[in-house]
Amino acid sequence: MARPRSTLLAPPAWLTAGFRPAPVPVPWAAVGRAAVALSAPLAVGLAVGQPAYGALVSMGALSGVIGDTADAYRMRIFNIAVPQLFGAVGVTLGTLVFGHGWVAVAVLTLVALVSGMISSIGAVASVSGLLLLLNAVIGAGLPMPDPWWKAPLLLTLGGLFVLLLTLLGWPLRRAAPERSAVAATYRSVADLYGAAGTSAYDEKRQAVTASLNQSYDLILARRARQHGRAPSLVRLLAQLNVVVPLVEAAPAAHLRARLHGPLPATIPAAVRALADAVDEGRTGAPEPDLPTPERPAEKAVDHALRYAAAVVHEAETDPANVDDRLGRPAALRVRARRATRAVLLSEASWRYGLRLALCIGLAQALVSLIAVPRSYWVALTVTFVMKPDFGSVFSRAVLRAFGTAAGLLLAALVLAEVPRGWWDVPVMCVLAALIPAFSAKGYAFQTAAITPVILLLSDTLNQQGFDLVMPRLYDSLIGCGIALIAGYLLWPESWHTRIGDRLADAVADTAAYVACAFTGNGGDPGDQGGRLRARRKLYRDLSTVRSEFQRALTEPPPTGTRAAAWWPLVVAVERIVDATTAARIRVDHGAPSPDPAEVTAVERELRELADGLRGADTLVEVRTDLHGDESGVLEPLRQEVRAARAIAGPDLR
C-alpha cells in the first residue's frame, strides 16, 4: 500500500525530534532569579551613567544562570563560582588579543583546544570550558572598557550576583534539596512496585535509576568530609541506603506479579508513606501493615520494606552504623589527579578538543580574511553548536539555525519598537525570565531565549540598534555551516558511530555481574558490597549507553537508523540485569541455588554476544542453545538472554 503524499513530504523524525518541547515543569524559582539577575545590573548601570558596565555585569549573570543547574546548595557554589573563574580568564585573554588579527586566531584556537579537552571531565568542567571559550570569543570580538582587568571583574560580579540570589534560601532550607531528592527516590520506587507485572515497569525502573543516581551524587558529594559533623546528611544517607534492598527486590516482585497477579496495593502505599516521612522528617511511626509473605520474592519485599521503615522512622541515626555502601568520593587531590590524567591521556578528550579547535580556528580565520561586522557571533555559534553534552552536532546545528531565527525575530521587534534606555530594564526582565523556562524545553528553545538577550546586551555595548539583526542571522548560518563541515562531516566517527562498542562493553559487564552474583564474593549473602557496587555501576553504565543511543537517534542516516535498529537490544540487556538481580534475591530468601554449570553457561553466552557486537556496524545472527532446570531460579534469566540473542538477528540490519 502506497504511503500518503503528506507522509512522504514530512521531514524525518530524527530531524524534527528537537522541535518537540520536553514535558518538564517550569522552574519558577530559576525564572525569578534570572529576571532579577540580568535586569538589576542594567538598572544600576543606567542609574550611575555607565550602561556598558551594567551590560557586562548582566553578561556575567547570564553565564551564572546557564551554569545554575544543580539542586543542592553546596553543589551550586561549585557549578556557578568555578566556571566564573574560567570565564574571567577567557575574557582576559580575549581582551588582550582584541584587534590583533592572526594573533587572536592563534590564541582562540588554543583556548578552544583547552576548552574542549577539559569539557570531558564532568558537568562543572563542561560549563567551565564553555565559559572559558565563550568569554574569550566575546572579549576578542567586542571592545571592552579599559584597563584590561575591568571586564573580567564586571563579568565575575554578575556571576557572583547570581550565586548570591541562589544562596538566599540556604539558611532556611540547607539540606532541603537533598531531603527532597531522597523522598523523590522513595516515590519512584513506589511507582516501580505499582507497575510490577505491567509493561510500564521498564520505564519506571529507568526513573528509579536516574533518581537514585541523583540522590547519591548529591549526598555523597556533600558528605565527603562531613561524616561526623552533619547528622542530617548521615540520616539521609542511612535512609537512602535502605532503598537499595527495595530496589533489588523489585525485579523479583515484577517476576512474581507476572506469574501470580499484581502485588497488594499496600506495598506501594507503604513505600509512599515512607517517602512522606522522609520529606517531612517524621519519626516514630508504627510498623507498616503488610500481608504475610509466602514466596521468596514476597519475603524479599517484606524484609526490605520493614527494614526501610525501621531506619526511616528511627529518632536518631548512629553514624558508626552508616556505611558508604556504594563507595565514598575520593579525596580532592585524588580526583584532581584522575581528571588531569583523563584529560591528557584520553583519546576522546584530544579528539573533541581538536575538533573544536579546528572549527574555532576556521571561524576566526574566516572573519579575519573577510570583512564581517562584529564577527564574534560566528565563533559564538560554533561554540554552542559544538558543545559536547548538548547532543548531536548535526541536530544542534539545525536547531541552532531555527532557534536563532526565532530569537532574532523577537529581538528585531524589541530593537525596532522599544526605545533604548530605561525601557531596557523591564524588557530584559521579561526576556531573562524566558531563559530557564525555555532551556528546560530543549536546545532550540534555549537558543531562541538566549539570542535576544545577548543581542540587547551587545547593543548596549556597541549601539548598533536594529542593524545588528540581519548580520547576526548571517553569522549564525556561517557558524552552523563551519560546525557541520569541519566538526561533523570531516570526522569519520560522525558516520561510523561506536555505539556497538559501548553496548558490547555493557554486555560484557553484565556477564561479569552474573558471575559476581552467583559465583564470586557477591554470591555470599554475608558480603554483598561487591555485588551492590557492581549492580549500581552497571545501571549507571546502561543509563549512559541509553543516553548515547538517544543522541544517536537524532543523527541522520546511517547512524540514526542503525541506533533505532539496535535500541531493542539496549532494553534487552537492562532486562537481563533485572533478571539476574531477581534470581539472586530469590536465592537469598529461600529458593534453591542454581547449579554453577548453569551460571557458567549464561555467562559464556553473554560474553559471546559481547564479542559478536564489538566493533560491528550491523547486528548479526548469533544462535544460542541454553538449557537448564526449567523450574530453577535462572530460567527467567535464560529467557531474557535468549531474547537478547534473538534480537541480534539479520532481520534488524
Side-chain angles (χ1 to χ4, degrees):
M1 182 177 177
R3 294 170 59 190
R5 183 174 179 83
S6 59
T7 303
L8 293 173
L9 296 177
W14 57 264
L15 186 60
T16 60
F19 294 103
R20 291 190 292 270
V24 294
V26 175
W28 292 110
V31 166
R33 284 195 300 271
V36 174
L38 270 73
S39 60
L42 282 183
V44 174
L46 289 168
V48 299
Q50 294 288 351
Y53 289 4
L56 283 173
V57 176
S58 292
M59 280 189 175
L62 175 61
S63 301
V65 168
I66 294 174
D68 185 17
T69 57
D71 293 318
Y73 286 103
R74 291 178 185 271
M75 292 302 296
R76 284 178 170 177
I77 295 176
F78 288 103
N79 281 23
I80 297 176
V82 173
Q84 291 302 317
L85 298 178
F86 283 84
V89 172
V91 75
T92 302
L93 293 174
T95 301
L96 293 177
V97 299
F98 174 75
H100 285 74
W102 290 104
V103 174
V105 174
V107 170
L108 288 184
T109 301
L110 181 60
V111 170
L113 175 64
V114 175
S115 170
M117 293 182 69
I118 66 176
S119 292
S120 63
I121 298 176
V124 176
S126 179
V127 177
S128 300
L130 172 67
L131 292 189
L132 173 67
L133 180 56
L134 195 67
N135 286 359
V137 169
I138 292 175
L142 283 174
M144 295 292 169
D146 290 326
W148 64 267
W149 51 263
K150 192 170 290 185
L153 176 62
L154 293 172
L155 287 169
T156 303
L157 283 176
L160 294 179
F161 183 42
V162 175
L163 182 59
L164 175 63
L165 293 175
T166 300
L167 298 180
L168 287 178
W170 192 355
L172 299 176
R173 301 186 73 238
R174 287 191 179 272
E178 290 90 344
R179 187 169 60 249
S180 297
V182 175
T185 299
Y186 272 86
R187 292 191 178 98
S188 67
V189 173
D191 293 339
L192 181 67
Y193 276 100
T198 71
S199 59
Y201 177 85
D202 286 339
E203 179 183 352
K204 299 301 182 183
R205 192 220 349 102
Q206 293 157 20
V208 168
T209 299
S211 182
L212 205 57
N213 288 346
Q214 181 187 20
S215 295
Y216 268 113
D217 287 345
L218 287 178
I219 292 175
L220 291 181
R222 275 195 61 181
R223 192 176 164 272
R225 294 185 178 275
Q226 299 185 25
H227 186 90
R229 293 180 293 163
S232 61
L233 292 181
V234 171
R235 179 177 180 80
L236 285 173
L237 181 58
Q239 293 172 339
L240 187 57
N241 278 343
V242 295
V243 172
V244 175
L246 275 171
V247 175
E248 279 212 313
H254 176 54
L255 178 62
R256 177 257 176 226
R258 287 170 54 189
L259 297 176
H260 305 289
L263 298 176
T266 52
I267 291 178
V271 181
R272 289 192 179 91
L274 293 180
D276 294 338
V278 171
D279 214 3
E280 299 166 11
R282 286 190 281 107
T283 61
E287 245 187 61
D289 184 15
L290 300 173
T292 302
E294 298 178 358
R295 301 175 178 87
E298 295 169 356
K299 293 177 182 178
V301 174
D302 182 84
H303 177 78
L305 194 45
R306 292 184 186 278
Y307 179 40
V311 172
V312 167
H313 292 137
E314 65 183 354
E316 294 184 6
T317 303
D318 183 2
N321 292 330
V322 179
D323 62 340
D324 298 298
R325 305 184 73 182
L326 303 183
R328 193 173 175 183
L332 181 60
R333 64 179 182 277
V334 175
R335 284 179 282 166
R337 187 165 61 248
R338 290 174 181 171
T340 302
R341 185 166 57 248
V343 168
L344 295 178
L345 303 180
S346 168
E347 178 187 351
S349 171
W350 278 99
R351 187 167 56 244
Y352 174 69
L354 290 172
R355 289 174 69 176
L356 183 57
L358 174 62
C359 292
I360 292 294
L362 288 175
Q364 286 299 118
L366 178 66
V367 299
S368 296
L369 295 172
I370 302 174
V372 179
R374 304 300 177 192
S375 57
Y376 68 94
W377 200 270
V378 178
L380 209 66
T381 299
V382 170
T383 301
F384 278 111
V385 171
M386 292 295 296
K387 189 71 169 60
D389 49 0
F390 281 176
S392 159
V393 170
F394 185 92
S395 63
R396 285 204 310 273
V398 175
L399 296 174
R400 175 80 184 179
F402 280 93
T404 299
L408 288 174
L409 179 61
L410 179 58
L413 293 174
V414 173
L415 292 173
E417 302 297 332
V418 179
R420 301 274 67 79
W422 281 101
W423 278 105
D424 287 341
V425 177
V427 169
M428 182 59 66
C429 185
V430 174
L431 293 178
L434 297 178
I435 294 176
F438 279 27
S439 294
K441 300 297 181 182
Y443 181 69
F445 301 94
Q446 182 191 52
T447 300
I450 290 178
T451 296
V453 171
I454 295 181
L455 276 177
L456 291 182
L457 295 176
S458 300
D459 181 54
T460 304
L461 293 172
N462 54 45
Q463 302 294 321
Q464 279 192 305
F466 188 80
D467 294 337
L468 274 173
V469 177
M470 291 311 296
R472 292 297 76 82
L473 178 60
Y474 302 147
D475 293 345
S476 293
L477 295 177
I478 293 173
C480 290
I482 290 174
L484 279 176
I485 296 173
Y488 182 79
L489 295 177
L490 296 183
W491 297 82
E493 67 187 44
S494 302
W495 299 96
H496 302 287
T497 179
R498 300 176 62 191
I499 54 177
D501 289 342
R502 294 185 177 95
L503 183 56
D505 291 340
V507 174
D509 290 342
T510 302
Y513 174 59
V514 171
C516 174
F518 295 103
T519 61
N521 290 335
D524 179 3
D527 181 19
Q528 298 182 354
R531 177 167 57 85
L532 289 174
R533 285 188 289 272
R535 184 180 62 82
R536 290 291 303 131
K537 180 181 182 301
L538 187 52
Y539 274 128
R540 277 184 179 269
D541 291 345
L542 286 172
S543 179
T544 301
V545 169
R546 177 177 284 270
S547 297
E548 285 289 330
F549 270 79
Q550 289 172 335
R551 182 198 65 77
L553 289 172
T554 64
E555 297 275 12
T559 301
T561 52
R562 186 178 301 145
W566 287 42
W567 180 257
L569 191 55
V570 178
V571 178
V573 174
E574 292 174 337
R575 290 179 176 174
I576 290 173
V577 178
D578 272 356
T580 303
T581 302
R584 178 68 252 178
I585 291 298
R586 292 173 65 195
V587 170
D588 288 344
H589 290 82
S593 298
D595 188 327
E598 293 184 51
V599 178
T600 302
V602 171
E603 181 188 0
R604 182 181 63 250
E605 291 291 333
L606 288 173
R607 293 197 183 279
E608 289 180 1
L609 176 59
D611 293 339
L613 295 173
R614 200 175 305 281
D617 289 334
T618 58
L619 296 173
V620 294
E621 183 177 13
V622 181
R623 301 184 182 278
T624 182
D625 188 21
L626 270 177
H627 296 291
D629 183 3
E630 295 185 359
S631 61
V633 293
L634 288 192
E635 180 57 24
L637 175 57
R638 281 192 292 269
Q639 291 175 3
E640 296 296 350
V641 173
R642 293 189 196 106
R645 307 206 72 173
I647 289 173
D651 55 324
L652 292 179
R653 289 184 182 179

